[in-house]
Amino acid sequence: VERFQREVKAAAQLFHHNIVTAFDAGEQNGIHYLVMEYVAGKDLQRLVDSQGVCAYRNAAKFIRQAAEGVSHAHERGFVHRDVKPANLLVDSTGTVKILDLGLARFFDPASDGSLSCEHGETVLGTADYLAPEQAMNSHTVDARADIYSLGQTGYFLLTGHAPFPTATIAERLLAHQVKSPEPIDHERPDVPP
């Protein structure tokens, strides 16, 4: 419930055409709810899974739009901490919208509420897209972690897989810290540098 309330608080402060809009929230008969904008489309994970890798121009457009939404969140004092293809919806017009602010962190530690610290969690996010510093401590990350995750998402859009796809979770977390992914042009020579 506390995480849900954090997401509601974050969503209520963000109004941008590249972020799913939250309209209302509440609780009825012990059930908490969040009323959000309906986005007719698919998340980028499902899009790539069903249609294959993106043309590089489309991938660039998707990442640019996500970056604009993330930038707005950063300007409002938030870091998303879970930017990944499954959290980026693309509608029928090609507009990307960011969703799932459940792991959002306020830059101001006084506002953070340190909910995840209370529950002993140090690593939050998705291993395939996690910034190296986020794997060490999710509570100290800033906007750079989201930018890193956007880069990893771009890699997925162009290759159809995460940068380190075959390792265990622990190995993937370590790989983000000490390795570089296979260059995209090894799989996609059509993608310009």
Side-chain angles (χ1 to χ4, degrees), residues 44-45 48-49 52-54 85 128-129 149 151-167 172 176 180-188:
L44 292 177
Q45 177 77 47
V48 169
D49 288 348
V53 295
C54 294
D128 286 327
Y129 305 97
S149 296
Q152 302 308 293
T153 297
Y155 187 97
F156 170 82
L157 297 178
L158 293 170
T159 65
H161 59 79
F164 308 105
T166 59
R172 282 180 273 164
H176 283 285
S180 294
E182 188 72 24
I184 291 170
D185 64 356
H186 289 190
E187 293 182 48
R188 294 282 308 272

Side-chain angles (χ1 to χ4, degrees), residues 32-70:
H32 296 267
Y33 63 87
L34 175 62
V35 180
M36 298 173 63
E37 167 187 14
Y38 174 72
V39 179
K42 287 184 177 180
D43 65 61
L44 292 177
Q45 177 77 47
R46 290 182 188 197
L47 183 79
V48 169
D49 288 348
S50 66
Q51 297 178 12
V53 295
C54 294
Y56 67 85
R57 285 193 167 115
N58 289 340
K61 288 177 188 175
F62 294 154
I63 295 299
R64 177 191 50 79
Q65 291 180 66
E68 289 175 4
V70 166

Side-chain angles (χ1 to χ4, degrees), residues 69-149:
V70 166
S71 177
H72 174 74
H74 295 163
E75 290 166 3
R76 301 289 302 182
F78 296 94
V79 59
H80 189 284
R81 295 196 299 189
D82 201 22
V83 174
K84 61 184 179 180
N87 282 342
L88 302 176
L89 298 174
V90 61
D91 71 14
S92 57
T93 68
T95 301
V96 170
K97 298 209 175 239
I98 301 167
L99 73 149
D100 193 0
L101 295 164
L103 296 182
R105 175 184 174 271
F106 300 92
F107 287 132
D108 176 7
S111 301
D112 194 7
S114 58
L115 177 64
S116 52
C117 287
E118 291 173 19
H119 295 286
E121 299 165 352
T122 56
V123 179
L124 298 171
T126 303
D128 286 327
Y129 305 97
L130 203 69
E133 65 274 19
Q134 192 170 343
M136 301 301 291
N137 185 342
S138 295
H139 310 295
T140 59
V141 298
D142 59 25
R144 294 172 291 183
D146 287 345
I147 295 167
Y148 181 90
S149 296

